Amino acid sequence: KLHQSLPYHYSKFIISNQKSSFFFFQQTTMVVLSQPLVENFSHIKTCKHNNTTSDHVYTGIIPVINLLDPEANNLIIKACQEFGFFKVVNHGVSIETITKLENESINFFNLSQIEKDKVGPANPFGYGNKSIGSKGDVGWVEYLLFTTNPELNHNKSITIPGNSLLFWGLVKEYISAIRNMGCMVLEMIAEGLKIEPKNILSRMLSDEKSDSCFRLNHYPPCPELLQALSGRNLIGFGEHTDPQVISVGRSNNTSGLQISLKDGTWISVPPDPNSFFINVGDSLQAMSNGRFTSVRHRVVVDSLKARVSMIYFGGPPLSEKIAPLSCLMEEPNEQILYNEFTWSEYKTSAYKTRLGDNRLSLFEKNAQS
C-alpha cells in the first residue's frame, strides 16, 4: 500500500504539468503516483483552512490558570464548564525534566524506520505509525504509548534503542511529576465544587492500580504534501475526546493543537513548551453530571516544523465505578444524566468505537439499550 511505503521526509518534490502524475524522491528512491495525490491519500483526513482560527486571534480566549493564584480553584471550575480545557502555569514541574525527555523522544523518532519498527507494532502499547487504534483510524503521526501501571508488564517487553535505561528513567521521572500536578488540579476542582473528601477525584490517579497511560506523539512536517492539498490542513490526529478523567499535555514550540468550542468552531491553541494543557475527559464529564464538558480536540500538521507532544492520560483503576457524584446532586430537580459504569466497561466500549465517536452517549440515561 502506498501509505506504508511513502517516507516521511522528501529531498525533492516535482509536480508535472499533467495533473495525473506526481513524483517523490528520497535519496535514490522514487515513488510514482498514477493518480492525483489527494485521491491516493483519501484515507488520511484533511480539514479546510479557517482564517478565524489563527493563533493571534484566540490567544486571549484560552483560559490560563496560575496554580499559585488564590482564585485558581474557581477559575479552573469556570474553565471546565466553558471549555473543558485550560492552560496551567506555575505548575512546579521542572523544565529540565521536560527538556531531557523531549530530547530523548526526538532521538528516538529520528531513528531509521527499521529501528523504530522493532519497538512495535503498538498492541496497544509500543510504537505505532499512522494507524490510530484498531478500527481503521489513521493520521499523519507516529507515537510511543506506555502504561503507567507498574503491575502490568507491557512496558517490560519494550526496549528503546540506544540508552534504554536513561529513557525509561526519564519517563518515570516525568510521569511522577505530571501525576502529582494532575492530582493537585483535581483537588482544586473538588475544592471549587465544594465536595468532600478533598481527594475524591485525585485518588483515582494516585491509586497504585490507576489505569493511566503516557503517550509521545511525533508529527513530521510535510510541506510538499500540504502544497498539493490545495490549501487544506492535513490531520495528524483526528478529532476526539479523551475517555479518562483528565489529560495533561504539552508540546514543543510548534502549533497544531485545536479545540472545538461549544458552537462547533475550531480554534488553534498557541503552543507553549513551558506550560501544560489540561483536558476534561469523558469520565470527569460523567462524574460531574455534565457540568464539565469533555473537550473535542484534534491536531493538524505544521507545514515546516515537526511537532512533538507528551500526554499523560489520568485514568482510574479498572474496577472504579464511574457515575455522577452524589454529593453534587443536591438540587431537587436535577436529573442524573449517566448510568453507572466501571472504567473497565467504558474502556472496553471505547476500543470498539471509531476515534471521533461520541462514546459517552452510550451510557446516557436515555440511551437505547
Side-chain angles (χ1 to χ4, degrees):
K1 295 181 181 178
L2 177 63
H3 72 278
Q4 294 175 337
S5 61
L6 188 68
Y8 274 134
H9 303 289
Y10 320 108
S11 58
K12 189 173 183 180
F13 175 84
I14 300 174
I15 304 179
S16 73
N17 291 330
Q18 296 180 358
K19 293 182 179 180
S20 61
S21 297
F22 291 79
F23 300 89
F24 289 87
F25 292 84
Q26 184 184 34
Q27 298 176 355
T28 59
T29 302
M30 180 175 72
V31 178
V32 180
L33 310 185
S34 59
Q35 295 180 356
L37 182 66
V38 175
E39 292 182 12
N40 277 279
F41 279 81
S42 59
H43 61 284
I44 299 252
K45 292 184 178 181
T46 63
C47 61
K48 293 181 179 179
H49 274 307
N50 186 347
N51 292 332
T52 63
T53 63
S54 59
D55 290 347
H56 72 275
V57 174
Y58 283 102
T59 300
I61 287 185
I62 304 298
V64 180
I65 312 296
N66 179 352
L67 293 184
L68 299 180
D69 187 335
E71 288 297 313
N73 297 351
N74 295 327
L75 294 174
I76 290 174
I77 296 299
K78 183 178 180 181
C80 289
Q81 292 172 334
E82 295 183 1
F83 294 90
F85 179 88
F86 53 95
K87 180 168 85 170
V88 295
V89 298
N90 285 326
H91 44 70
V93 180
S94 165
I95 299 301
E96 182 181 6
T97 299
I98 296 170
T99 302
K100 285 182 178 179
L101 180 55
E102 182 175 284
N103 290 339
E104 286 301 309
S105 302
I106 292 172
N107 289 339
F108 172 80
F109 290 122
N110 282 340
L111 293 173
S112 69
Q113 196 61 50
I114 293 176
E115 288 297 308
K116 289 184 288 190
D117 286 340
K118 293 178 181 178
V119 189
N123 189 30
F125 303 109
Y127 172 75
N129 185 352
K130 298 187 182 71
S131 294
I132 301 172
S134 59
K135 295 299 176 181
D137 292 297
V138 294
W140 194 263
V141 62
E142 57 179 345
Y143 63 88
L144 286 167
L145 180 63
F146 310 120
T147 177
T148 67
N149 188 336
E151 292 190 356
L152 300 178
N153 294 319
H154 295 87
N155 292 345
K156 293 181 180 180
S157 62
I158 302 174
T159 301
I160 303 299
N163 194 336
S164 190
L165 288 177
L166 172 63
F167 182 88
W168 283 115
L170 290 172
V171 167
K172 183 177 180 180
E173 180 182 353
Y174 183 86
I175 289 175
S176 176
I178 299 305
R179 181 193 294 116
N180 290 339
M181 189 259 286
C183 287
M184 180 194 307
V185 169
L186 288 175
E187 290 178 1
M188 287 182 168
I189 289 176
E191 291 177 353
L193 291 174
K194 297 179 173 57
I195 56 178
E196 295 286 347
K198 180 181 178 180
N199 71 340
I200 191 170
L201 299 173
S202 64
R203 64 176 177 78
M204 293 183 287
L205 274 60
S206 59
D207 193 298
E208 62 180 10
K209 294 184 178 180
S210 170
D211 185 46
S212 300
C213 57
F214 178 61
R215 187 178 185 114
L216 296 165
N217 287 330
H218 176 231
Y219 303 92
C222 50
E224 299 89 353
L225 180 54
L226 285 173
Q227 180 182 354
L229 290 174
S230 301
R232 295 181 67 85
N233 283 320
L234 183 65
I235 297 294
F237 212 105
E239 63 178 89
H240 64 287
T241 60
D242 296 334
Q244 290 86 359
V245 181
I246 61 168
S247 305
V248 184
R250 69 160 295 280
S251 75
N252 61 347
N253 198 25
T254 302
S255 61
L257 177 62
Q258 298 182 343
I259 64 170
S260 178
L261 302 180
K262 289 184 177 181
D263 64 1
T265 301
W266 286 96
I267 66 170
S268 293
V269 178
D272 184 348
N274 297 322
S275 301
F276 290 91
F277 296 92
I278 310 290
N279 293 4
V280 169
D282 295 344
S283 296
L284 186 54
Q285 177 173 326
M287 287 185 285
S288 70
N289 201 41
R291 287 171 172 78
F292 299 165
T293 301
S294 181
V295 63
R296 185 161 287 268
H297 55 289
R298 67 187 182 190
V299 175
V300 297
V301 179
D302 190 279
S303 62
L304 299 176
K305 297 190 296 181
R307 185 175 194 271
V308 176
S309 61
M310 307 188 289
I311 312 100
Y312 168 79
F313 299 93
L318 290 172
S319 60
E320 183 75 28
K321 294 180 180 180
I322 307 295
L325 297 171
S326 57
C327 49
L328 287 178
M329 309 301 291
E330 297 178 351
E331 297 182 12
N333 296 325
E334 183 168 356
Q335 297 181 344
I336 296 177
L337 301 181
Y338 302 100
N339 295 309
E340 181 180 272
F341 53 87
T342 66
W343 168 241
S344 178
E345 290 171 338
Y346 192 68
K347 184 177 178 180
T348 299
S349 174
Y351 273 125
K352 295 179 180 179
T353 63
R354 296 294 298 269
L355 185 65
D357 290 346
N358 182 356
R359 293 166 292 211
L360 198 53
S361 65
L362 300 175
F363 295 87
E364 293 176 355
K365 272 288 186 180
N366 60 354
Q368 296 293 324
S369 58

